[in-house]
Coordinates of all heavy atoms in Angstrom, one line a residue:
Y72 N 215.6 102.3 242.6 CA 214.8 102.7 241.4 C 213.6 101.9 241.2 O 212.8 102.3 240.4 CB 215.7 102.8 240.2 CG 216.2 101.5 239.6 CD1 215.5 100.7 238.8 CD2 217.5 101.1 239.9 CE1 216.0 99.5 238.3 CE2 218.0 99.9 239.5 CZ 217.2 99.1 238.6 OH 217.7 98.0 238.1
A73 N 213.5 100.8 241.9 CA 212.3 100.0 241.8 C 212.2 99.0 242.9 O 213.2 98.7 243.6 CB 212.2 99.2 240.4
A74 N 211.0 98.6 243.2 CA 210.8 97.6 244.3 C 209.6 96.7 243.9 O 208.7 97.1 243.1 CB 210.5 98.2 245.6
G75 N 209.5 95.5 244.5 CA 208.4 94.6 244.1 C 208.2 93.6 245.2 O 208.9 93.5 246.1
W76 N 207.2 92.8 244.9 CA 206.8 91.7 245.7 C 206.8 90.4 244.9 O 206.3 90.3 243.8 CB 205.4 91.9 246.3 CG 205.3 92.9 247.4 CD1 205.0 94.2 247.2 CD2 205.5 92.8 248.8 NE1 205.0 94.9 248.4 CE2 205.4 94.0 249.4 CE3 205.8 91.7 249.6 CZ2 205.5 94.2 250.8 CZ3 206.0 91.9 251.0 CH2 205.8 93.1 251.5
Y77 N 207.4 89.4 245.5 CA 207.4 88.0 245.0 C 206.7 87.1 245.9 O 206.6 87.4 247.1 CB 208.8 87.5 244.7 CG 209.6 88.1 243.6 CD1 210.0 89.4 243.6 CD2 209.9 87.3 242.4 CE1 210.7 90.0 242.6 CE2 210.6 87.9 241.4 CZ 211.0 89.2 241.4 OH 211.7 89.7 240.4
R78 N 206.3 85.9 245.5 CA 205.8 84.9 246.4 C 206.2 83.5 245.9 O 206.5 83.3 244.8 CB 204.3 85.0 246.5 CG 203.5 84.6 245.2 CD 202.0 84.8 245.3 NE 201.3 84.3 244.2 CZ 200.0 84.5 244.0 NH1 199.3 85.2 244.9 NH2 199.4 84.0 242.9
Q79 N 206.3 82.6 246.9 CA 206.6 81.3 246.6 C 205.6 80.4 247.4 O 205.6 80.4 248.7 CB 208.0 80.9 247.0 CG 208.5 79.5 246.6 CD 210.0 79.4 246.6 OE1 210.7 80.1 247.3 NE2 210.5 78.4 245.8
A80 N 204.8 79.6 246.7 CA 203.9 78.7 247.3 C 204.5 77.3 247.4 O 205.4 77.0 246.6 CB 202.6 78.6 246.4
P81 N 204.0 76.4 248.2 CA 204.5 75.1 248.3 C 204.5 74.4 247.0 O 203.5 74.4 246.3 CB 203.5 74.4 249.3 CG 203.0 75.5 250.2 CD 202.9 76.7 249.2
G82 N 205.6 73.8 246.7 CA 205.8 73.1 245.4 C 205.8 73.9 244.2 O 205.8 73.3 243.1
K83 N 206.0 75.2 244.3 CA 206.0 76.1 243.1 C 207.3 77.0 243.1 O 207.9 77.1 244.2 CB 204.8 77.0 243.0 CG 203.5 76.2 242.9 CD 202.3 77.1 242.8 CE 202.3 77.9 241.5 NZ 201.1 78.7 241.3
Q84 N 207.6 77.5 242.0 CA 208.7 78.4 241.9 C 208.3 79.8 242.4 O 207.2 80.2 242.4 CB 209.2 78.5 240.4 CG 209.5 77.2 239.8 CD 210.9 77.2 239.1 OE1 211.6 78.2 239.2 NE2 211.3 76.1 238.6
R85 N 209.3 80.5 242.8 CA 209.1 81.9 243.2 C 208.7 82.7 242.0 O 209.3 82.6 240.9 CB 210.3 82.5 243.9 CG 210.1 83.9 244.5 CD 211.3 84.3 245.3 NE 211.7 83.5 246.4 CZ 212.6 83.7 247.3 NH1 213.2 84.9 247.3 NH2 212.8 82.9 248.3
E86 N 207.7 83.5 242.2 CA 207.1 84.3 241.0 C 207.0 85.8 241.4 O 206.7 86.1 242.6 CB 205.8 83.7 240.6 CG 204.7 83.8 241.6 CD 203.4 83.3 241.1 OE1 203.2 83.0 239.9 OE2 202.4 83.1 242.0
L87 N 207.1 86.6 240.4 CA 206.9 88.0 240.6 C 205.4 88.3 240.7 O 204.6 87.9 239.8 CB 207.5 88.8 239.5 CG 207.3 90.4 239.5 CD1 208.0 91.0 240.7 CD2 207.8 91.0 238.2
V88 N 205.0 89.0 241.7 CA 203.6 89.4 241.9 C 203.3 90.8 241.4 O 202.3 91.0 240.7 CB 203.2 89.2 243.4 CG1 201.8 89.7 243.7 CG2 203.4 87.8 243.9
A89 N 204.1 91.7 241.9 CA 203.9 93.1 241.5 C 205.2 93.9 241.6 O 206.1 93.5 242.4 CB 202.9 93.8 242.4
R90 N 205.3 95.0 240.8 CA 206.5 95.8 240.8 C 206.1 97.3 240.6 O 205.2 97.6 239.9 CB 207.4 95.4 239.7 CG 208.8 96.0 239.6 CD 209.6 95.4 238.5 NE 211.0 95.9 238.5 CZ 211.4 96.9 237.8 NH1 210.6 97.6 237.0 NH2 212.7 97.2 237.8
V91 N 206.8 98.1 241.3 CA 206.6 99.6 241.2 C 208.0 100.2 240.9 O 209.0 99.9 241.6 CB 205.9 100.2 242.4 CG1 206.7 100.0 243.7 CG2 205.6 101.7 242.1
A92 N 208.1 101.2 240.0 CA 209.3 101.8 239.6 C 209.2 103.3 239.9 O 208.2 103.9 240.1 CB 209.6 101.6 238.2
S93 N 210.4 104.0 239.8 CA 210.4 105.4 239.9 C 209.6 106.0 238.8 O 209.6 105.5 237.7 CB 211.9 105.9 239.8 OG 212.7 105.4 240.8
G94 N 208.8 107.0 239.2 CA 207.9 107.6 238.3 C 206.5 107.0 238.4 O 205.5 107.6 237.9
G95 N 206.3 105.9 239.2 CA 205.0 105.4 239.6 C 204.5 104.3 238.7 O 203.4 103.8 239.0
S96 N 205.2 103.9 237.7 CA 204.7 102.8 236.9 C 204.6 101.5 237.6 O 205.5 101.2 238.5 CB 205.5 102.6 235.6 OG 206.8 102.3 235.9
T97 N 203.6 100.7 237.4 CA 203.4 99.4 238.1 C 203.2 98.3 237.1 O 202.7 98.5 236.0 CB 202.3 99.5 239.0 OG1 201.1 99.8 238.3 CG2 202.5 100.5 240.1
N98 N 203.5 97.1 237.5 CA 203.3 95.9 236.8 C 202.8 94.8 237.7 O 203.2 94.7 238.9 CB 204.5 95.4 236.0 CG 205.1 96.4 235.0 OD1 206.0 97.1 235.3 ND2 204.5 96.4 233.8
Y99 N 201.9 93.9 237.2 CA 201.3 92.9 238.0 C 201.3 91.6 237.3 O 201.1 91.5 236.0 CB 199.9 93.2 238.4 CG 199.7 94.4 239.3 CD1 199.5 95.7 238.7 CD2 199.8 94.4 240.6 CE1 199.4 96.8 239.5 CE2 199.7 95.5 241.4 CZ 199.5 96.7 240.8 OH 199.4 97.8 241.6
A100 N 201.4 90.5 238.0 CA 201.2 89.2 237.4 C 199.7 89.1 237.0 O 198.8 89.6 237.7 CB 201.5 88.1 238.4
D101 N 199.4 88.4 235.9 CA 198.0 88.3 235.5 C 197.1 87.8 236.5 O 195.9 88.2 236.6 CB 197.9 87.4 234.2 CG 198.5 88.1 233.0 OD1 198.6 89.4 233.0 OD2 198.8 87.4 232.0
V102 N 197.5 86.8 237.3 CA 196.7 86.1 238.3 C 196.2 87.1 239.4 O 195.2 86.7 240.1 CB 197.4 84.9 238.8 CG1 198.5 85.2 239.7 CG2 196.4 84.0 239.5
V103 N 196.9 88.2 239.6 CA 196.5 89.1 240.7 C 196.0 90.4 240.2 O 195.6 91.2 241.1 CB 197.7 89.3 241.7 CG1 198.3 88.0 242.2 CG2 198.8 90.2 241.0
K104 N 196.0 90.6 238.9 CA 195.5 91.9 238.4 C 194.0 92.2 238.8 O 193.2 91.3 238.8 CB 195.6 91.9 236.9 CG 197.0 92.1 236.3 CD 197.0 92.1 234.8 CE 198.4 92.3 234.3 NZ 198.4 92.2 232.8
G105 N 193.8 93.4 239.3 CA 192.5 93.7 239.7 C 192.2 93.4 241.2 O 191.2 93.9 241.7
R106 N 193.1 92.6 241.8 CA 192.9 92.3 243.2 C 194.0 92.9 244.1 O 193.7 93.2 245.2 CB 192.9 90.7 243.4 CG 191.8 90.1 242.6 CD 191.7 88.6 243.0 NE 192.9 87.8 242.6 CZ 193.6 87.2 243.5 NH1 193.3 87.2 244.8 NH2 194.7 86.5 243.1
F107 N 195.2 92.9 243.6 CA 196.4 93.4 244.4 C 196.8 94.8 243.9 O 196.7 95.1 242.7 CB 197.6 92.5 244.2 CG 197.4 91.1 244.9 CD1 196.2 90.7 245.4 CD2 198.5 90.3 245.0 CE1 196.0 89.5 246.0 CE2 198.4 89.0 245.6 CZ 197.1 88.6 246.1

């Protein structure tokens, strides 16, 4: 019912980057909005 992308940089915690759900709704981390 949903899928997303996470990322983990050296020395940092894993963070949610983007998510898409059934119906087409999406969410993005503020740092990637407008770029991803």
Side-chain angles (χ1 to χ4, degrees):
Y72 64 86
W76 290 91
Y77 287 72
R78 69 185 183 187
Q79 187 164 23
K83 299 184 67 177
Q84 304 232 0
R85 188 173 298 188
E86 63 178 351
L87 177 65
V88 175
R90 186 177 188 267
V91 60
S93 298
S96 63
T97 57
N98 298 98
Y99 298 92
D101 288 341
V102 71
V103 307
K104 285 180 180 176
R106 300 189 297 121
F107 290 10

